[in-house]
Amino acid sequence: MGVEEHTQETTTAGETASADLTVETTASGTRYPIAPGYRVNVRTGPGTSYRIVRTLPYGQKIPIYCQKPGERVTGPYGTSNLWDNIANGQFVADAYVYTGRDGYIAPRCD
């Protein structure tokens, strides 16, 4: 994987902190939770060689506008080459996002 795609928070007992894994659907769209206890890097493209734009806080839920294949990354939800577009020019590795299933859940990005 090269560069670490996350930082992980642990409790004093050494267990990973828990978070709400519900997918939220509202009038403004669907939002998916980042894996509990992880702060995930947001990058300018679908791979760890792209510049980091920001890092999502613990417990963040994100929209997924489209998905694009890119660098293969291993995370708490398996190994995947899918990257989720969460804003204009901003991508996160799908292996760190709870979508409820493997594969595409949004259209492919152009």
Side-chain angles (χ1 to χ4, degrees):
M1 172 166 66
V3 179
E4 288 294 318
E5 268 318 281
H6 69 280
T7 56
Q8 185 176 17
E9 176 182 283
T10 55
T11 63
T12 53
E15 298 173 358
T16 303
S18 64
D20 179 14
L21 284 182
T22 57
V23 174
E24 293 177 359
T25 302
T26 65
S28 61
T30 304
R31 298 178 74 80
Y32 300 88
I34 297 297
Y38 288 89
R39 295 184 64 209
V40 177
N41 293 326
V42 178
R43 296 184 176 270
T44 58
T48 59
S49 62
Y50 289 88
R51 182 174 58 86
I52 296 173
V53 176
R54 61 189 167 118
T55 302
L56 298 174
Y58 297 112
Q60 182 77 38
K61 290 189 179 185
I62 58 168
I64 299 176
Y65 298 111
C66 61
Q67 293 174 295
K68 185 174 198 165
E71 180 181 347
R72 228 169 161 66
V73 172
T74 299
Y77 300 119
T79 300
S80 176
N81 72 333
L82 281 182
W83 286 72
D84 305 330
N85 175 259
I86 64 169
N88 189 23
Q90 296 184 18
F91 292 85
V92 297
D94 190 65
Y96 289 91
V97 181
Y98 180 78
T99 61
R101 60 185 154 138
D102 291 337
Y104 286 90
I105 54 96
R108 286 183 184 241
C109 301
D110 293 331

